[in-house]
Amino acid sequence: MRIDIVTIFPTFFDALDLSLLGKARSKGIIDVGVHDLRDSAHDRHRTVDGPPAGGGAGMVMRPEPWGESLDGILDGADDPLVIFPSPAGDVFTQEMAKELAQETHLVFGCGRFEGIDQRVFDETASRARVRLVSIGDYVLNGGEVAVTVMIEAIGRLIPGVIGNPESLVEESHEDGLLEYPSYTKPAEWRGRQIPPVLLSGNHGAVEQWRHEQRVERTRRVRPELLEEATPEDGETPQ
Ligand code: ADE
């Protein structure tokens, strides 16, 4: 997968060199290009913002640097999907991460200040698929953290990124339930035991216990997820 990121803070994305995503990059599974928006601002101060038309607080990102930077990425690109992180976008979920992991080219545009001039979205949407995506109902100072979150969630679903793909199967939000609690050695720690069923060697009983734990935890922490869960998840929607 090719990923391009436009930002005024390119070093933010140094984090993508770490851990499993860093390995996926060095193996060539994920090819990331980080573009400094200020490289496309040509005045003496490399200005990327201006006061809002019509007045009001804060600054808005000017369209020209965005246009030039996105031209450099989109011209000749093969069916890219452009994502602008925004608290006003569709909410990012595991479902959306799976969908986006099927794409071959994602372009992320990180806004700052009070946002980006609307014409950038409109013009980009005239030549590429565009989505506004929110990572949750709270407001960040800019899109960089949101894009890091999305790339981590999407990247780990790309074949070859996670060594053991089985670890993707029973985690939280896979099939609408939260994950079961995990334990490792020692069998007793500070007076606390590992649940005996996990040491029983009875695979069926372990599976059953883990499933019950997932349903119980989901009911306690996120009951609304159970209403959306399918009957195959072991719970009939109420
Ligand atoms: N930019 C500012 N807040 C955001 C959010 N919640 N999600 C995505 N991008 C954002």
Short mmCIF file of all heavy atoms in Angstrom, two decimals, residues 108-166:
data_model
loop_
_atom_site.label_atom_id
_atom_site.label_comp_id
_atom_site.label_asym_id
_atom_site.label_seq_id
_atom_site.Cartn_x
_atom_site.Cartn_y
_atom_site.Cartn_z
N PHE A 108 -3.36 11.28 3.11
CA PHE A 108 -3.90 11.95 4.30
C PHE A 108 -3.50 13.42 4.29
O PHE A 108 -2.31 13.74 4.15
CB PHE A 108 -3.36 11.29 5.57
CG PHE A 108 -3.87 9.90 5.81
CD1 PHE A 108 -3.12 8.79 5.43
CD2 PHE A 108 -5.11 9.69 6.40
CE1 PHE A 108 -3.58 7.50 5.65
CE2 PHE A 108 -5.58 8.41 6.63
CZ PHE A 108 -4.81 7.30 6.25
N GLY A 109 -4.45 14.31 4.47
CA GLY A 109 -4.17 15.74 4.53
C GLY A 109 -4.44 16.26 5.94
O GLY A 109 -5.58 16.28 6.38
N CYS A 110 -3.37 16.61 6.65
CA CYS A 110 -3.51 17.02 8.06
C CYS A 110 -3.76 18.51 8.17
O CYS A 110 -2.86 19.32 7.92
CB CYS A 110 -2.25 16.69 8.85
SG CYS A 110 -1.80 14.96 8.78
N GLY A 111 -4.96 18.89 8.58
CA GLY A 111 -5.28 20.29 8.81
C GLY A 111 -4.79 20.73 10.19
O GLY A 111 -4.59 19.91 11.09
N ARG A 112 -4.58 22.03 10.33
CA ARG A 112 -4.22 22.66 11.62
C ARG A 112 -5.05 23.91 11.74
O ARG A 112 -5.85 24.23 10.86
CB ARG A 112 -2.74 23.03 11.64
CG ARG A 112 -1.83 21.87 11.90
CD ARG A 112 -1.45 21.81 13.38
NE ARG A 112 -1.28 20.43 13.81
CZ ARG A 112 -1.04 20.08 15.07
NH1 ARG A 112 -0.94 21.00 16.01
NH2 ARG A 112 -0.92 18.81 15.40
N PHE A 113 -4.82 24.70 12.75
CA PHE A 113 -5.55 25.95 12.97
C PHE A 113 -7.06 25.68 12.96
O PHE A 113 -7.49 24.64 13.45
CB PHE A 113 -5.15 27.00 11.92
CG PHE A 113 -3.65 27.09 11.71
CD1 PHE A 113 -3.08 26.75 10.50
CD2 PHE A 113 -2.81 27.48 12.74
CE1 PHE A 113 -1.71 26.81 10.31
CE2 PHE A 113 -1.44 27.54 12.56
CZ PHE A 113 -0.89 27.21 11.35
N GLU A 114 -7.85 26.59 12.38
CA GLU A 114 -9.30 26.40 12.39
C GLU A 114 -9.77 25.53 11.23
O GLU A 114 -10.96 25.41 10.99
CB GLU A 114 -10.01 27.76 12.33
CG GLU A 114 -9.77 28.65 13.53
CD GLU A 114 -10.12 27.96 14.85
OE1 GLU A 114 -11.26 27.48 14.97
OE2 GLU A 114 -9.25 27.90 15.73
N GLY A 115 -8.83 24.96 10.48
CA GLY A 115 -9.23 24.08 9.39
C GLY A 115 -8.65 24.55 8.07
O GLY A 115 -7.84 25.47 8.01
N ILE A 116 -9.09 23.89 7.00
CA ILE A 116 -8.56 24.14 5.65
C ILE A 116 -9.65 24.84 4.84
O ILE A 116 -10.85 24.52 5.01
CB ILE A 116 -8.19 22.80 4.97
CG1 ILE A 116 -7.20 22.00 5.85
CG2 ILE A 116 -7.63 23.02 3.58
CD1 ILE A 116 -6.92 20.59 5.36
N ASP A 117 -9.26 25.76 3.99
CA ASP A 117 -10.20 26.44 3.08
C ASP A 117 -11.07 25.39 2.37
O ASP A 117 -10.54 24.43 1.79
CB ASP A 117 -9.37 27.26 2.06
CG ASP A 117 -10.24 28.14 1.16
OD1 ASP A 117 -11.12 27.58 0.46
OD2 ASP A 117 -10.04 29.36 1.15
N GLN A 118 -12.38 25.57 2.44
CA GLN A 118 -13.34 24.58 1.91
C GLN A 118 -13.07 24.23 0.45
O GLN A 118 -13.33 23.11 0.00
CB GLN A 118 -14.77 25.12 2.07
CG GLN A 118 -15.87 24.23 1.53
CD GLN A 118 -15.96 22.88 2.23
OE1 GLN A 118 -15.70 22.78 3.43
NE2 GLN A 118 -16.30 21.83 1.48
N ARG A 119 -12.51 25.19 -0.32
CA ARG A 119 -12.31 24.92 -1.74
C ARG A 119 -11.31 23.80 -1.98
O ARG A 119 -11.33 23.15 -3.02
CB ARG A 119 -11.86 26.21 -2.45
CG ARG A 119 -12.98 27.23 -2.52
CD ARG A 119 -12.46 28.58 -2.94
NE ARG A 119 -11.59 29.17 -1.93
CZ ARG A 119 -10.99 30.36 -2.05
NH1 ARG A 119 -11.18 31.08 -3.15
NH2 ARG A 119 -10.22 30.83 -1.08
N VAL A 120 -10.44 23.55 -0.99
CA VAL A 120 -9.48 22.44 -1.14
C VAL A 120 -10.23 21.11 -1.18
O VAL A 120 -9.95 20.25 -2.02
CB VAL A 120 -8.44 22.46 0.01
CG1 VAL A 120 -7.55 21.22 -0.05
CG2 VAL A 120 -7.62 23.74 -0.04
N PHE A 121 -11.23 20.96 -0.29
CA PHE A 121 -12.02 19.71 -0.28
C PHE A 121 -12.80 19.59 -1.58
O PHE A 121 -12.85 18.53 -2.20
CB PHE A 121 -13.01 19.69 0.90
CG PHE A 121 -12.36 19.90 2.24
CD1 PHE A 121 -12.60 21.06 2.97
CD2 PHE A 121 -11.51 18.95 2.77
CE1 PHE A 121 -11.99 21.25 4.21
CE2 PHE A 121 -10.90 19.12 4.00
CZ PHE A 121 -11.15 20.29 4.72
N ASP A 122 -13.44 20.71 -1.98
CA ASP A 122 -14.30 20.67 -3.16
C ASP A 122 -13.49 20.37 -4.41
O ASP A 122 -13.88 19.55 -5.25
CB ASP A 122 -15.04 22.00 -3.32
CG ASP A 122 -15.93 22.30 -2.11
OD1 ASP A 122 -16.22 21.36 -1.35
OD2 ASP A 122 -16.30 23.48 -1.91
N GLU A 123 -12.33 21.01 -4.54
CA GLU A 123 -11.52 20.81 -5.74
C GLU A 123 -10.93 19.41 -5.76
O GLU A 123 -10.92 18.73 -6.79
CB GLU A 123 -10.41 21.87 -5.78
CG GLU A 123 -9.88 22.17 -7.17
CD GLU A 123 -8.66 21.33 -7.52
OE1 GLU A 123 -8.00 20.84 -6.60
OE2 GLU A 123 -8.38 21.17 -8.72
N THR A 124 -10.48 18.94 -4.60
CA THR A 124 -9.90 17.59 -4.54
C THR A 124 -10.97 16.55 -4.88
O THR A 124 -10.71 15.57 -5.59
CB THR A 124 -9.29 17.32 -3.14
OG1 THR A 124 -8.40 18.39 -2.82
CG2 THR A 124 -8.52 16.02 -3.12
N ALA A 125 -12.21 16.80 -4.38
CA ALA A 125 -13.30 15.84 -4.64
C ALA A 125 -13.70 15.81 -6.11
O ALA A 125 -14.35 14.87 -6.56
CB ALA A 125 -14.50 16.18 -3.77
N SER A 126 -13.28 16.84 -6.88
CA SER A 126 -13.62 16.84 -8.31
C SER A 126 -12.67 15.93 -9.09
O SER A 126 -12.90 15.67 -10.26
CB SER A 126 -13.57 18.27 -8.86
OG SER A 126 -12.23 18.70 -8.97
N ARG A 127 -11.59 15.46 -8.44
CA ARG A 127 -10.68 14.59 -9.21
C ARG A 127 -10.23 13.35 -8.47
O ARG A 127 -9.47 12.54 -8.99
CB ARG A 127 -9.45 15.39 -9.63
CG ARG A 127 -8.67 15.96 -8.47
CD ARG A 127 -7.65 16.91 -9.02
NE ARG A 127 -6.97 17.59 -7.95
CZ ARG A 127 -5.66 17.70 -7.88
NH1 ARG A 127 -4.90 17.18 -8.79
NH2 ARG A 127 -5.10 18.34 -6.89
N ALA A 128 -10.71 13.18 -7.23
CA ALA A 128 -10.36 11.96 -6.48
C ALA A 128 -11.47 11.67 -5.48
O ALA A 128 -12.32 12.53 -5.22
CB ALA A 128 -9.04 12.15 -5.74
N ARG A 129 -11.47 10.44 -4.95
CA ARG A 129 -12.41 10.14 -3.88
C ARG A 129 -11.89 10.81 -2.60
O ARG A 129 -10.70 10.74 -2.31
CB ARG A 129 -12.51 8.63 -3.67
CG ARG A 129 -13.17 7.90 -4.84
CD ARG A 129 -13.13 6.41 -4.65
NE ARG A 129 -11.76 5.91 -4.64
CZ ARG A 129 -11.28 4.97 -3.84
NH1 ARG A 129 -12.10 4.40 -2.96
NH2 ARG A 129 -10.04 4.58 -3.91
N VAL A 130 -12.80 11.47 -1.88
CA VAL A 130 -12.41 12.21 -0.67
C VAL A 130 -13.31 11.79 0.48
O VAL A 130 -14.52 11.63 0.30
CB VAL A 130 -12.55 13.74 -0.90
CG1 VAL A 130 -12.39 14.51 0.40
CG2 VAL A 130 -11.52 14.23 -1.92
N ARG A 131 -12.72 11.58 1.66
CA ARG A 131 -13.51 11.32 2.87
C ARG A 131 -13.01 12.18 4.01
O ARG A 131 -11.80 12.36 4.15
CB ARG A 131 -13.39 9.85 3.31
CG ARG A 131 -14.11 8.89 2.42
CD ARG A 131 -14.08 7.49 2.98
NE ARG A 131 -15.11 7.31 4.00
CZ ARG A 131 -15.52 6.11 4.42
NH1 ARG A 131 -14.97 5.02 3.93
NH2 ARG A 131 -16.45 6.01 5.34
N LEU A 132 -13.93 12.71 4.80
CA LEU A 132 -13.56 13.35 6.07
C LEU A 132 -13.76 12.28 7.14
O LEU A 132 -14.81 11.63 7.17
CB LEU A 132 -14.46 14.53 6.39
CG LEU A 132 -14.51 15.72 5.44
CD1 LEU A 132 -15.22 16.90 6.12
CD2 LEU A 132 -13.13 16.14 5.01
N VAL A 133 -12.76 12.09 7.99
CA VAL A 133 -12.85 11.03 9.00
C VAL A 133 -12.46 11.57 10.37
O VAL A 133 -11.43 12.22 10.53
CB VAL A 133 -11.94 9.84 8.61
CG1 VAL A 133 -12.04 8.74 9.67
CG2 VAL A 133 -12.30 9.28 7.24
N SER A 134 -13.30 11.28 11.36
CA SER A 134 -13.05 11.67 12.75
C SER A 134 -12.61 10.45 13.54
O SER A 134 -13.15 9.36 13.34
CB SER A 134 -14.34 12.22 13.36
OG SER A 134 -14.23 12.30 14.76
N ILE A 135 -11.66 10.62 14.46
CA ILE A 135 -11.32 9.45 15.30
C ILE A 135 -12.11 9.46 16.61
O ILE A 135 -11.90 8.59 17.45
CB ILE A 135 -9.80 9.33 15.58
CG1 ILE A 135 -9.26 10.54 16.33
CG2 ILE A 135 -9.04 9.09 14.29
CD1 ILE A 135 -7.93 10.23 17.03
N GLY A 136 -13.01 10.38 16.80
CA GLY A 136 -13.84 10.35 18.01
C GLY A 136 -14.40 11.72 18.31
O GLY A 136 -14.00 12.72 17.72
N ASP A 137 -15.32 11.75 19.26
CA ASP A 137 -16.03 12.99 19.56
C ASP A 137 -15.26 13.85 20.55
O ASP A 137 -15.67 14.00 21.72
CB ASP A 137 -17.45 12.68 20.07
CG ASP A 137 -18.31 12.13 18.95
OD1 ASP A 137 -17.96 12.34 17.77
OD2 ASP A 137 -19.33 11.48 19.26
N TYR A 138 -14.15 14.35 20.11
CA TYR A 138 -13.34 15.30 20.88
C TYR A 138 -12.53 16.06 19.85
O TYR A 138 -12.45 15.64 18.70
CB TYR A 138 -12.43 14.58 21.89
CG TYR A 138 -11.83 13.33 21.33
CD1 TYR A 138 -10.71 13.39 20.49
CD2 TYR A 138 -12.40 12.08 21.60
CE1 TYR A 138 -10.18 12.23 19.96
CE2 TYR A 138 -11.87 10.93 21.05
CZ TYR A 138 -10.76 11.01 20.24
OH TYR A 138 -10.25 9.87 19.69
N VAL A 139 -11.93 17.18 20.27
CA VAL A 139 -11.24 18.01 19.29
C VAL A 139 -9.74 18.03 19.56
O VAL A 139 -9.30 18.30 20.69
CB VAL A 139 -11.81 19.46 19.31
CG1 VAL A 139 -11.06 20.33 18.30
CG2 VAL A 139 -13.29 19.43 18.97
N LEU A 140 -8.96 17.70 18.55
CA LEU A 140 -7.50 17.73 18.62
C LEU A 140 -7.01 19.05 18.03
O LEU A 140 -7.78 19.76 17.38
CB LEU A 140 -6.93 16.57 17.82
CG LEU A 140 -7.45 15.18 18.21
CD1 LEU A 140 -7.07 14.15 17.15
CD2 LEU A 140 -6.90 14.79 19.57
N ASN A 141 -5.74 19.34 18.23
CA ASN A 141 -5.19 20.58 17.67
C ASN A 141 -4.92 20.50 16.17
O ASN A 141 -4.70 21.50 15.51
CB ASN A 141 -3.89 20.96 18.37
CG ASN A 141 -4.17 21.52 19.75
OD1 ASN A 141 -5.24 22.07 19.98
ND2 ASN A 141 -3.23 21.36 20.65
N GLY A 142 -4.89 19.28 15.66
CA GLY A 142 -4.61 19.11 14.24
C GLY A 142 -4.79 17.65 13.87
O GLY A 142 -5.08 16.82 14.74
N GLY A 143 -4.61 17.34 12.61
CA GLY A 143 -4.91 15.98 12.13
C GLY A 143 -3.81 14.96 12.34
O GLY A 143 -4.04 13.76 12.11
N GLU A 144 -2.62 15.39 12.77
CA GLU A 144 -1.48 14.47 12.79
C GLU A 144 -1.70 13.25 13.70
O GLU A 144 -1.38 12.12 13.31
CB GLU A 144 -0.19 15.20 13.20
CG GLU A 144 0.41 16.06 12.09
CD GLU A 144 -0.31 17.40 11.88
OE1 GLU A 144 -1.21 17.73 12.68
OE2 GLU A 144 0.03 18.11 10.92
N VAL A 145 -2.20 13.50 14.90
CA VAL A 145 -2.41 12.36 15.82
C VAL A 145 -3.48 11.43 15.24
O VAL A 145 -3.34 10.20 15.26
CB VAL A 145 -2.81 12.87 17.23
CG1 VAL A 145 -3.29 11.71 18.09
CG2 VAL A 145 -1.62 13.55 17.88
N ALA A 146 -4.53 12.03 14.69
CA ALA A 146 -5.62 11.22 14.11
C ALA A 146 -5.09 10.36 12.97
O ALA A 146 -5.46 9.18 12.84
CB ALA A 146 -6.75 12.13 13.63
N VAL A 147 -4.23 10.92 12.15
CA VAL A 147 -3.69 10.15 11.01
C VAL A 147 -2.78 9.03 11.52
O VAL A 147 -2.81 7.91 11.00
CB VAL A 147 -2.95 11.09 10.02
CG1 VAL A 147 -2.14 10.30 9.02
CG2 VAL A 147 -3.97 11.97 9.31
N THR A 148 -2.01 9.30 12.56
CA THR A 148 -1.17 8.26 13.14
C THR A 148 -2.04 7.10 13.64
O THR A 148 -1.74 5.93 13.42
CB THR A 148 -0.31 8.82 14.30
OG1 THR A 148 0.37 9.98 13.82
CG2 THR A 148 0.70 7.82 14.78
N VAL A 149 -3.13 7.44 14.32
CA VAL A 149 -4.06 6.42 14.81
C VAL A 149 -4.60 5.59 13.64
O VAL A 149 -4.59 4.35 13.66
CB VAL A 149 -5.24 7.08 15.58
CG1 VAL A 149 -6.38 6.10 15.83
CG2 VAL A 149 -4.74 7.67 16.89
N MET A 150 -5.05 6.28 12.60
CA MET A 150 -5.65 5.55 11.47
C MET A 150 -4.63 4.66 10.78
O MET A 150 -4.92 3.50 10.45
CB MET A 150 -6.26 6.54 10.46
CG MET A 150 -7.53 7.17 10.98
SD MET A 150 -8.34 8.15 9.69
CE MET A 150 -7.99 9.79 10.23
N ILE A 151 -3.41 5.19 10.59
CA ILE A 151 -2.41 4.38 9.88
C ILE A 151 -2.02 3.15 10.70
O ILE A 151 -1.84 2.06 10.15
CB ILE A 151 -1.16 5.24 9.53
CG1 ILE A 151 -1.54 6.28 8.47
CG2 ILE A 151 -0.01 4.36 9.03
CD1 ILE A 151 -0.42 7.24 8.11
N GLU A 152 -1.97 3.30 12.02
CA GLU A 152 -1.64 2.12 12.83
C GLU A 152 -2.75 1.08 12.74
O GLU A 152 -2.49 -0.11 12.57
CB GLU A 152 -1.39 2.52 14.29
CG GLU A 152 -1.18 1.31 15.17
CD GLU A 152 -0.10 1.45 16.23
OE1 GLU A 152 0.75 2.35 16.11
OE2 GLU A 152 -0.11 0.65 17.15
N ALA A 153 -4.01 1.53 12.84
CA ALA A 153 -5.14 0.59 12.80
C ALA A 153 -5.28 -0.06 11.43
O ALA A 153 -5.59 -1.26 11.33
CB ALA A 153 -6.43 1.31 13.19
N ILE A 154 -5.04 0.70 10.37
CA ILE A 154 -5.17 0.17 9.01
C ILE A 154 -3.96 -0.72 8.70
O ILE A 154 -4.09 -1.83 8.19
CB ILE A 154 -5.24 1.32 7.98
CG1 ILE A 154 -6.51 2.14 8.16
CG2 ILE A 154 -5.16 0.77 6.55
CD1 ILE A 154 -6.47 3.51 7.48
N GLY A 155 -2.76 -0.21 9.03
CA GLY A 155 -1.52 -0.89 8.65
C GLY A 155 -1.44 -2.30 9.18
O GLY A 155 -1.03 -3.23 8.48
N ARG A 156 -1.89 -2.51 10.43
CA ARG A 156 -1.76 -3.84 11.01
C ARG A 156 -2.70 -4.85 10.38
O ARG A 156 -2.57 -6.05 10.61
CB ARG A 156 -1.95 -3.78 12.54
CG ARG A 156 -3.29 -3.28 12.99
CD ARG A 156 -3.28 -2.87 14.45
NE ARG A 156 -3.07 -4.00 15.34
CZ ARG A 156 -4.00 -4.89 15.66
NH1 ARG A 156 -5.22 -4.78 15.15
NH2 ARG A 156 -3.73 -5.89 16.47
N LEU A 157 -3.67 -4.37 9.58
CA LEU A 157 -4.59 -5.30 8.89
C LEU A 157 -4.07 -5.70 7.50
O LEU A 157 -4.66 -6.54 6.84
CB LEU A 157 -5.97 -4.65 8.75
CG LEU A 157 -6.66 -4.27 10.07
CD1 LEU A 157 -7.98 -3.56 9.80
CD2 LEU A 157 -6.89 -5.53 10.91
N ILE A 158 -2.99 -5.08 7.07
CA ILE A 158 -2.45 -5.40 5.74
C ILE A 158 -1.65 -6.70 5.85
O ILE A 158 -0.80 -6.83 6.74
CB ILE A 158 -1.57 -4.24 5.22
CG1 ILE A 158 -2.45 -2.99 5.03
CG2 ILE A 158 -0.87 -4.62 3.92
CD1 ILE A 158 -1.68 -1.73 4.69
N PRO A 159 -1.94 -7.68 4.97
CA PRO A 159 -1.26 -8.97 5.06
C PRO A 159 0.26 -8.81 5.11
O PRO A 159 0.82 -8.04 4.33
CB PRO A 159 -1.71 -9.70 3.79
CG PRO A 159 -3.04 -9.08 3.45
CD PRO A 159 -2.94 -7.64 3.89
N GLY A 160 0.89 -9.52 6.06
CA GLY A 160 2.35 -9.48 6.18
C GLY A 160 2.85 -8.52 7.24
O GLY A 160 4.01 -8.59 7.65
N VAL A 161 1.97 -7.63 7.73
CA VAL A 161 2.43 -6.64 8.71
C VAL A 161 2.53 -7.26 10.10
O VAL A 161 3.48 -7.05 10.84
CB VAL A 161 1.51 -5.39 8.72
CG1 VAL A 161 1.87 -4.45 9.86
CG2 VAL A 161 1.60 -4.68 7.38
N ILE A 162 1.53 -8.09 10.46
CA ILE A 162 1.57 -8.76 11.76
C ILE A 162 2.03 -10.19 11.54
O ILE A 162 1.49 -10.89 10.67
CB ILE A 162 0.17 -8.72 12.41
CG1 ILE A 162 -0.10 -7.28 12.81
CG2 ILE A 162 0.05 -9.69 13.57
CD1 ILE A 162 -0.95 -7.09 14.00
N GLY A 163 3.07 -10.59 12.27
CA GLY A 163 3.68 -11.90 12.08
C GLY A 163 2.68 -13.04 12.13
O GLY A 163 2.64 -13.90 11.26
N ASN A 164 1.82 -13.02 13.17
CA ASN A 164 0.85 -14.10 13.35
C ASN A 164 -0.56 -13.55 13.13
O ASN A 164 -1.15 -12.97 14.04
CB ASN A 164 1.00 -14.67 14.76
CG ASN A 164 -0.02 -15.76 15.03
OD1 ASN A 164 -0.77 -16.15 14.12
ND2 ASN A 164 -0.05 -16.24 16.26
N PRO A 165 -1.11 -13.74 11.93
CA PRO A 165 -2.42 -13.14 11.63
C PRO A 165 -3.53 -13.64 12.55
O PRO A 165 -4.56 -12.99 12.68
CB PRO A 165 -2.70 -13.54 10.17
CG PRO A 165 -1.49 -14.23 9.67
CD PRO A 165 -0.60 -14.56 10.84
N GLU A 166 -3.30 -14.80 13.23
CA GLU A 166 -4.33 -15.30 14.15
C GLU A 166 -4.58 -14.31 15.28
O GLU A 166 -5.66 -14.29 15.86
CB GLU A 166 -3.91 -16.64 14.75
CG GLU A 166 -4.39 -17.78 13.91
CD GLU A 166 -4.12 -19.12 14.58
OE1 GLU A 166 -4.11 -19.17 15.82
OE2 GLU A 166 -3.90 -20.08 13.83
#
